[in-house]
């Protein structure tokens, strides 16, 4: 069979994350090409070129649309899948990125960027063993690729470290970080001019803390550790599913992902008022990672939870986990601003965060979404043993990772973890649990929120211009006892010149 060329191809090194396929490559000679006309091939190229322009403009959703159309016109070009895989990586659809990379390699086993994309997707999912194998393949064919060599080396280190930790770790013998702390003997230096408290967090401390953080100053480690120890004790007493009551005539606010964007958090408080007994809040997970002011965000949220334990609520997100924090910046930020011991203590505290909340017995709020199994009840959620790292399957996993889809039924997750659920799944869950609607977060939305599933599934995302690149608005939801959601949207505010992911390991700079 004659070789078929296509104007797709290899621009830059493997580590050049701005590269999409643009030049000529030869499609695997063994690949059959039944029914693909020259007209279809030319149309596919035009669509791919249009997708590339959207990609370069960082409009990844439109890039995905046009790569998909190119694939539909000519499904036998590996690079189309490779490019779409890269766009999926940019939108955190790691499961779909993984599928596309594998499809590209099924078409052409010599398509090296397919191994690279697949390794990157597996790395994002914390599947480092699989990532190592593909990076090894890249290095075999491109021994001078420095980026692939770096990632192979770092992934190999992580695999070895995880194996070592599993070998020495026993849940029964593992000591709490809290037990190793000696807070009383942490010296408060004479030149420390930040906020202080004696035994309990006060309103004055919190107001001063916000200003202290706004000026890019650190709270003393003595107080940071005290907040963590006290919040750990508080969280351990809470159930996995918490019940919240809005009193008659009261107001309640639900916020979505903040992702370390402290100055946007300050803007929420400016727009909607500081938390108080009369102005209660729920922050719905993903407080940290990506943004480089995550320490300031999380200590602020924990401080308000200590100040108003019955009127300030926090739910766990998928980024309140050890693997995510090590990849997306939070672990590195805590080590840079404090110590690795404190980073380990955060991991311990996150294990006790509640997984979901129910407002006035009618509205369920969770970070991710619903379930791969029917007949999950609120009591099932209450019974979840949450003191652990998020598993890859089951109720806890899906509460943190799942996403809605417009079509009925269920589908494998675009992220590679959790599931996708349709309007019929939402309707059945609400009916069987006597609920009116659900609120979730977890996804960037152009307006900061989205109403789906006939008004029964609401997404709220509170980090505007996510990662300083997405251009989205942020939003929060307010409601009274009638539980009718009202949406407030806002633009990003300026922040100090510290880029997102500034504290992340260089090998994780693929997003």
């Amino acid at each position: 069979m004659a070789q078929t060329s296509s104007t797709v191809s290899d621009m830059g090194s493997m580590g050049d994350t701005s590269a999409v396929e643009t030049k000529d490559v030869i499609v695997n000679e063994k690949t059959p090409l039944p029914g693909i006309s020259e007209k279809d091939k030319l149309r596919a190229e035009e669509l791919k070129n249009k997708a590339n322009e959207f990609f370069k403009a960082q409009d990844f959703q439109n890039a995905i649309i046009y790569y998909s159309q190119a694939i539909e016109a000519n499904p036998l070009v590996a690079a189309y899948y490779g490019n779409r895989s890269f766009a999926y990586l940019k939108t955190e659809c790691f499961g779909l990125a993984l599928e596309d990379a594998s499809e590209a390699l099924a078409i052409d086993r010599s398509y090296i960027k397919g191994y690279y994309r697949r390794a990157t997707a597996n790395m994002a999912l914390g599947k480092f063993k699989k990532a190592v194998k593909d990076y090894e393949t890249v290095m075999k064919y491109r021994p001078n690729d420095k980026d692939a060599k770096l990632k192979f080396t770092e992934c190999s280190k992580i695999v070895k470290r995880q194996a070592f930790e599993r070998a020495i770790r026993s849940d029964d013998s593992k000591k709490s970080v809290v037990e190793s702390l000696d807070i009383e003997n942490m010296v408060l230096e004479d030149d420390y001019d930040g906020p202080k408290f004696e035994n309990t967090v006060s309103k004055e401390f919190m107001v001063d803390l916000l200003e202290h953080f706004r000026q890019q100053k650190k709270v003393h480690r003595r107080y940071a550790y005290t907040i963590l120890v006290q919040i750990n004790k508080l969280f351990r007493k809470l159930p996995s599913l918490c019940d919240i009551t809005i009193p008659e005539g009261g107001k309640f606010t639900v916020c979505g992902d903040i992702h370390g964007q402290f100055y946007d958090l300050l803007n929420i408080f400016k727009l909607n008022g500081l938390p108080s007994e009369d102005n209660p809040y729920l922050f719905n997970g993903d407080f940290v990672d990506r943004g480089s002011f995550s320490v300031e965000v999380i200590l602020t949220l924990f401080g308000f939870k200590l100040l108003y334990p019955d009127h300030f609520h926090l739910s766990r997100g998928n980024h309140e986990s050890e693997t995510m924090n090590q990849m997306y910046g939070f672990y590195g930020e805590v080590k840079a601003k404090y110590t690795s011991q404190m980073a380990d203590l955060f991991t311990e505290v996150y294990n006790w965060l509640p997984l979901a909340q129910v407002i006035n017995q009618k509205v369920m709020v969770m970070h991710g979404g619903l379930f791969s199994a029917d007949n999950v009840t609120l009591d099932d959620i209450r019974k979840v043993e949450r003191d652990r790292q998020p598993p890859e399957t089951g109720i806890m996993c899906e509460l943190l990772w799942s996403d809605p889809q417009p079509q009925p039924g269920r589908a494998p997750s675009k992220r590679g973890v959790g599931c996708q659920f349709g309007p019929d799944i939402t309707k059945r869950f609400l009916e069987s649990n006597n609920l009116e609607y659900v609120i979730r977060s977890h996804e960037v939305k152009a307006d900061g929120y989205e109403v789906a599933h006939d008004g029964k599934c609401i997404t709220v995302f509170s980090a505007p211009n996510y990662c300083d690149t997405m251009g989205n608005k942020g939003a929060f939801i307010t409601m009274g006892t009638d539980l009718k959601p009202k949406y407030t949207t806002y633009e990003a505010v300026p922040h100090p010149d510290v880029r997102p992911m500034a504290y992340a390991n260089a090998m994780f700079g693929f997003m």
Side-chain angles (χ1 to χ4, degrees), residues 13 15 32 58 145 166 188 194 203 230 323 335 340 350 510:
S13 71
Q58 299 191 47
D145 191 317
R166 283 194 300 270
L188 197 66
K203 181 178 179 181
Q230 291 185 1
T323 300
K335 288 199 295 182
S340 57
Y350 289 158
F510 50 81

Side-chain angles (χ1 to χ4, degrees), residues 159-175 322 344:
V159 170
K160 290 177 182 177
R161 187 184 72 235
Q162 289 178 338
F164 176 74
E165 288 173 352
R166 283 194 300 270
I168 65 172
R169 182 182 296 170
S170 164
D171 289 339
D172 294 330
S173 62
K174 185 180 178 184
K175 290 185 178 180
E322 185 174 25
D344 291 337

